[in-house]
Amino acid sequence: MFKLNLRLFDTQVTTQGSLSAEMKTFYEDTLIDSAEPKLVHDQFGDKYPIPKNNGKTIEFRKYSPLAKATTPLTEGVTPAGNSLSVSTITATVDQYGDYIKLSDMLELSAIDNNVVQSTKLLGGQSGRTLDTVTREVLNAGTNVLYADNGTEVLSRATLTKDCALNVDIIFRAAAQLEAMNADGVDGNEYVAIIHPYAAYDLMRCEEWIDVHKYAAPENIYNGEIGKLGNVRFVKSTEAKIFKGDGCPAGLAVFSTIVLGAHAYAVTEITGGGLQHIVKQLGYGDDPLNQRSSVGWKAIKTAEILTQEYMVRIESCSPVYSAKAEAN
C-alpha cells in the first residue's frame, strides 16, 4: 500500500515547472498569437468552450426557427405563445500536440531566445493542425456543386482541367444558401474559403471587387481578398485539395466552401483549448541537466450544425491542377 499524491498530475505543476506567472502568460500569448492567423476555417464557426469534468464529449446546441404566426390575434385574448426548440449535437473531442527538444549546449551557445522562437514555430504548427481538423469536417458536407466547362458535371471524377471556378457557380451557391434562409455571416453577406490557385481563376472576372475597395481595415476578415455579389472570399493555402482516388486522372480538385451563419461549431483555443508547455533542464530522466523542451497540446473538435447553410464547390484549374499537391 502507498499514498499517491494527485497534485503531481496538476497541469500547473507538471507542465510549467519554475516559470513565473508573467512568463507563463507571455509564452501562452505568443503561442496563441502565432496560432490564430492559421485558423482560417475556425473563424466563421460558432465558438464553444472546452468542457470541464464532462468526459470527452461536447454538446453543441442548435435552435430551430419559429413557424410563421399567420393566425390573427383576437381582441382581448392572449395567444398561446411559443417556446424555444433546441436540438443538441454531440461530438467527441480529441487531443493533439507536439514539442521541440532543446539541449543545454544549444541554450548556452544560441544568440536567439530559443523558447520564444520554438513557441512561434509551434504556434504556427498548432494553428495549421487545428485548422485542418475543422477543414476536414467542413469538407464532409453533403451539399456539393461542381464547376463545369459548358457541359453539366455531376461528380468529382468527371471534372476536367477546363472546369474552373467561375462567377455563375458562386452565384448559384449563394442562391442555394438564400433559398435555405441561411443568414449571412456578416449581415447579408456569405463567406467563402478559397485556395490561391482557385482564386487566381476567379479574380480575373469583371465582377470581382478587391477587398480594399469595399471594406474598412477593421472589418476585414483574416485572409480576406475580395468579393463577388454578396459572397466575401478568404484565401488560404490550407483550403482543401483533393487528388488521387475519386479525382480525374492527373488533376487536383480544389474545394471552395461557401458558408452562412451558424453552419458549424468549433471548440475555442483559449480557456484550455490550446496549452503551452515548457519543461526545464533536468526534467524526467536527465541526471546531467542536458535536455529541456517546449511544446503544445490542444483539445479540439468541430461539427456541422446545419448542412443547408454550407455549400462546397469543387473545381479544377487550367493552369494549376496538375501542379497542386493534395493536402
Side-chain angles (χ1 to χ4, degrees):
M1 298 292 291
F2 62 94
K3 293 183 179 180
L4 179 64
N5 183 1
L6 294 179
R7 289 293 297 173
L8 293 174
F9 296 92
D10 184 278
T11 300
Q12 300 301 322
V13 174
T14 61
T15 64
Q16 298 302 335
S18 59
L19 286 179
S20 67
E22 292 79 8
M23 289 304 297
K24 174 178 176 292
T25 300
F26 168 75
Y27 287 132
E28 287 183 345
D29 288 346
T30 299
L31 184 75
I32 290 175
D33 289 344
S34 298
E36 283 185 327
K38 310 296 183 183
L39 293 169
V40 173
H41 288 82
D42 267 26
Q43 64 179 320
F44 309 111
D46 294 346
K47 305 297 190 298
Y48 282 73
I50 298 295
K52 291 184 178 181
N53 304 319
N54 198 28
K56 299 173 67 175
T57 301
I58 185 170
E59 185 178 274
F60 299 118
R61 293 178 177 270
K62 173 184 172 183
Y63 292 85
S64 301
L66 297 174
K68 297 177 182 178
T70 56
T71 301
L73 296 175
T74 301
E75 184 178 352
V77 177
T78 302
N82 220 319
S83 59
L84 288 174
S85 177
V86 183
S87 57
T88 59
I89 299 173
T90 59
T92 301
V93 296
D94 291 304
Q95 195 170 56
Y96 305 87
D98 200 2
Y99 67 97
I100 294 174
K101 293 179 284 188
L102 301 173
S103 71
D104 57 343
M105 290 301 294
L106 178 62
E107 294 193 13
L108 288 172
S109 59
I111 297 174
D112 297 325
N113 185 329
N114 290 308
V115 175
V116 173
Q117 296 303 321
S118 297
T119 298
K120 290 179 179 178
L121 291 171
L122 290 165
Q125 180 200 40
S126 64
R128 295 192 310 274
T129 299
L130 301 178
D131 186 65
T132 298
V133 172
T134 303
R135 182 193 73 185
E136 294 304 297
V137 170
L138 296 184
N139 277 278
T142 56
N143 294 319
V144 188
L145 296 175
Y146 300 98
D148 61 57
N149 57 2
T151 302
E152 186 179 15
V153 176
L154 299 177
S155 70
R156 183 184 301 166
T158 55
L159 289 166
T160 68
K161 67 178 183 179
D162 297 322
C163 294
L165 199 62
N166 56 65
V167 176
D168 178 69
I169 199 165
I170 296 298
F171 285 175
R172 283 170 57 194
Q176 187 168 320
L177 293 180
E178 291 172 353
M180 294 293 105
N181 295 316
D183 293 329
V185 173
D186 184 11
N188 295 319
E189 295 178 313
Y190 302 121
V191 173
I193 301 174
I194 188 171
H195 192 276
Y197 286 167
Y200 170 82
D201 294 318
L202 200 60
M203 292 171 66
R204 295 178 295 166
C205 68
E206 295 181 357
E207 295 89 343
W208 180 267
I209 303 175
D210 287 329
V211 63
H212 68 271
K213 294 181 180 179
Y214 67 84
E218 64 272 13
N219 296 324
I220 295 176
Y221 295 127
N222 176 32
E224 186 172 359
I225 56 173
K227 66 184 290 187
L228 280 173
N230 63 339
V231 180
R232 298 167 65 174
F233 288 82
V234 170
K235 182 171 63 175
S236 173
T237 56
E238 294 297 318
K240 182 68 176 177
I241 302 175
F242 300 97
K243 201 168 186 178
D245 292 344
C247 294
L251 295 178
V253 175
F254 300 97
S255 168
T256 301
I257 303 285
V258 186
L259 298 161
H262 312 304
Y264 66 106
V266 297
T267 48
E268 293 181 320
I269 65 167
T270 55
L274 177 60
Q275 299 177 46
H276 183 261
I277 303 163
V278 176
K279 297 284 188 176
Q280 306 296 319
L281 283 172
Y283 78 91
D285 184 16
D286 186 19
L288 298 181
N289 285 2
Q290 293 173 298
R291 293 184 299 275
S292 63
S293 67
V294 183
W296 67 273
K297 66 178 180 179
I299 298 173
K300 177 71 176 179
T301 194
E303 191 71 29
I304 296 174
L305 299 180
T306 308
Q307 292 278 1
E308 293 79 10
Y309 292 175
M310 56 185 295
V311 178
R312 183 175 76 255
I313 302 173
E314 297 190 5
S315 64
C316 292
S317 171
V319 179
Y320 295 110
S321 278
K323 300 177 182 179
E325 295 294 334
N327 62 1

